[in-house]
Amino acid sequence: MTLLALETSCDETSAAVVRDGRVLSSAISSQIKVHAEYGGVVPELAAREHLRNLIPVVQTALREAGVQLAQLDAVAATQGPGLPMALLVGFKAAQSVAFTLRKPFVGINHHEAHLYSPWIRSIASPHEPGSAGVPPARMELAGGTPALPAAASGVQCAKIISGNSPSRMAGVRGENVGGIFFADFAAFQPNVSLIVSGGHTMLVRVESELNHRVLGSTVDDAAGECFDKTGKLMGLPYPAGPEIDRLAEQGNPKAYDFPRPLLNDPGDDFSFSGLKTSVRYFLRDHPGILDDTQRIRDLCASIQAAIVEVLVKKTIRAAKRNHVRCVTASGGVTCNRALRRELARACEREHLMLCLAEKSLCTDNAAMIGILAERKLLANIAPTSLDEEINPGWILA
Ligand code: KG4
Ligand code: ZN
């Protein structure tokens, strides 16, 4: 089955072509530069950028995959949750393509796509330029890396292409990650999954493929929001998460003691607004810190340590309580090096298998939308009606 997927729920315009569990192409146009000026995502601007970029992004994805519109068997798009006007752009475009081609259409829950994204694996392709830097498949721990399924050999390379505008995208085409991406659901194990992004932080028990139950989520700010807002207090550019990650590498995580909200609460919910407030008061009382580079690094490391400790301890506790042998993680914050490191350490200690989403698939992308849509069609789940509308507040159950 060959499927085109679109993702426009927030500030990335993305299109991917997926065929039989393989990601043939994934084009992403990021709007980060547009929104950075305002210190956060401006919904109206996001919608306008999606409108401007969608067609060139789709054309790039189809071209890189070597697929014509007429060859598509199905079309998918993110239906929710997300910014209403942003969602509308990709969702209505995908429905129109499905209508024109008379092919099935699948509306996807963005979080459900993140949830299964850790099973999309990559291997470096020896044929692609720049592939030497690509990390190998990221099934970590207990038992090592499982053998690749036959489907992985000789497949076309996935091209992850990103840029800030279609014109810039052309300039970075050579930077595709050179990896082969494919959905390795043969390796699936029941797991507890951490979805951690700028808008959401949740723990989900995944019993079997397409069968999951949310255990807990944030009662206020998401972890990514906490990174971004505390970074803003320090004067770091939006989104501050990657910058805090970078500065924290040379900082002392024990320099300052920040609260670990709900760490000892027996439930699976999270709360990060108290941590943000305590950083605000800390900076009010110690304004001189921002004049000293090393103390800024220490502050970043200390904030990051508080967020990571809560995420890791609560995830491991949920995994043990639910008697699963596997932990997975996805969403933008899963790019964070300390989080990846600490999850790996904790899982090793507890003899749990850890399956982290590839970094290029942690942030928003259409590849994960397409992979999930294909699994749903293969599982005979009914396509989404072309009369259906976006669902901006769609909560994963
Ligand atoms: O999944 P995503 O691209 O979009 C949402 O659905 O929100 O996640 C974006 C979030 C932002 O808050 C960003 O600061 C955070 O992920 N993020 C990071 C890192 N990379 C991205 N946070 C901490 N460390 C990182 N390396
Ligand atoms: Zn997301």
Side-chain angles (χ1 to χ4, degrees):
M1 180 187 309
T2 305
L3 190 146
L4 171 70
L6 307 183
E7 153 65 38
T8 62
S9 65
C10 191
D11 58 350
E12 323 273 4
T13 313
S14 179
V17 179
V18 165
R19 175 182 288 156
D20 302 334
R22 288 172 274 154
V23 182
L24 300 188
S25 67
S26 172
I28 302 170
S29 174
S30 170
Q31 304 175 4
I32 281 180
K33 282 208 172 143
V34 174
H35 300 291
E37 219 178 296
Y38 303 91
V41 177
V42 182
E44 177 64 29
L45 280 183
R48 259 192 262 168
E49 286 296 304
H50 287 311
L51 281 170
R52 210 152 65 91
N53 294 337
L54 188 68
I55 288 177
V57 165
V58 169
Q59 284 171 330
T60 304
L62 289 169
R63 187 179 60 243
E64 294 293 339
V67 164
Q68 311 274 328
L69 271 179
Q71 290 174 278
L72 296 175
D73 300 304
V75 187
T78 307
Q79 188 167 5
L83 302 170
M85 297 307 287
L87 282 169
L88 266 178
V89 177
F91 190 76
K92 287 293 156 192
Q95 280 182 326
S96 308
V97 175
F99 172 76
T100 310
L101 298 176
R102 297 179 191 279
K103 297 293 180 190
F105 167 72
V106 190
I108 291 290
N109 180 301
H110 179 88
H111 292 142
E112 192 178 2
H114 273 306
L115 191 60
Y116 293 98
S117 64
W119 304 101
I120 307 174
R121 304 181 49 196
S122 118
I123 50 169
S125 163
H127 310 297
E128 288 293 317
S131 64
V134 178
R138 47 82 212 94
M139 300 288 296
E140 287 161 25
L141 216 86
T145 305
L148 291 174
S153 57
V155 297
Q156 252 184 285
C157 286
K159 310 231 193 255
I160 305 280
I161 307 142
S162 31
N164 294 305
S165 66
S167 53
R168 229 199 107 211
M169 275 172 51
V172 296
R173 270 177 54 190
E175 288 177 20
N176 81 69
V177 295
I180 296 168
F181 284 78
F182 63 99
D184 188 13
F185 286 103
F188 179 90
Q189 291 205 27
N191 62 78
V192 159
S193 190
L194 173 69
I195 304 177
V196 66
S197 71
H200 296 85
T201 304
M202 53 176 85
L203 279 171
V204 186
R205 180 183 170 145
V206 190
E207 199 57 54
S208 56
E209 215 190 307
L210 307 179
N211 175 12
H212 48 258
R213 177 170 60 85
V214 174
L215 300 168
S217 52
T218 184
V219 296
D220 41 53
D221 289 356
E225 207 173 346
C226 188
F227 271 109
D228 295 341
K229 287 182 175 169
T230 54
K232 194 172 180 179
L233 293 172
M234 286 185 267
L236 299 178
Y238 171 85
E243 191 66 4
I244 291 181
D245 182 347
R246 194 181 64 78
L247 290 164
E249 283 293 293
Q250 292 169 341
N252 174 8
K254 295 195 173 125
Y256 310 108
D257 191 20
F258 289 111
R260 272 69 169 152
L262 296 187
L263 180 63
N264 296 316
D265 184 272
D268 293 317
D269 284 338
F270 296 93
S271 163
F272 288 104
S273 75
L275 171 55
K276 173 192 67 193
T277 307
S278 89
V279 173
R280 185 191 302 278
Y281 289 145
F282 179 82
L283 283 170
R284 182 196 61 189
D285 298 340
H286 306 84
I289 282 194
L290 297 181
D291 299 328
D292 180 330
T293 310
Q294 188 51 45
R295 287 163 84 194
I296 293 176
R297 291 183 184 134
D298 291 344
L299 181 57
C300 287
S302 301
I303 295 168
Q304 179 175 276
I307 298 172
V308 166
E309 184 179 343
V310 172
L311 294 174
V312 172
K313 286 202 171 147
K314 296 201 77 153
T315 303
I316 300 292
R317 201 187 300 154
K320 287 167 78 177
R321 188 172 4 90
N322 283 275
H323 305 292
V324 296
R325 307 283 334 122
C326 176
V327 162
T328 73
S330 61
V333 179
T334 308
C335 289
N336 184 271
R337 284 171 289 180
L339 177 62
R340 295 177 89 88
R341 224 168 25 230
E342 293 305 318
L343 272 174
R345 277 195 196 132
C347 285
E348 187 163 17
R349 220 173 22 241
E350 301 294 339
H351 306 290
L352 293 163
M353 187 178 107
L354 175 63
C355 192
L356 296 170
E358 290 287 337
K359 280 193 179 181
S360 60
L361 296 175
C362 282
T363 44
D364 292 344
N365 64 87
M368 66 180 186
I369 305 294
I371 289 289
L372 179 60
E374 190 184 41
R375 299 304 288 186
K376 286 191 179 244
L377 289 174
L378 290 173
N380 288 323
I381 294 173
T384 309
S385 159
L386 293 181
D387 294 330
E388 273 212 33
E389 296 298 336
I390 54 164
N391 190 349
W394 194 359
I395 293 170
L396 196 66

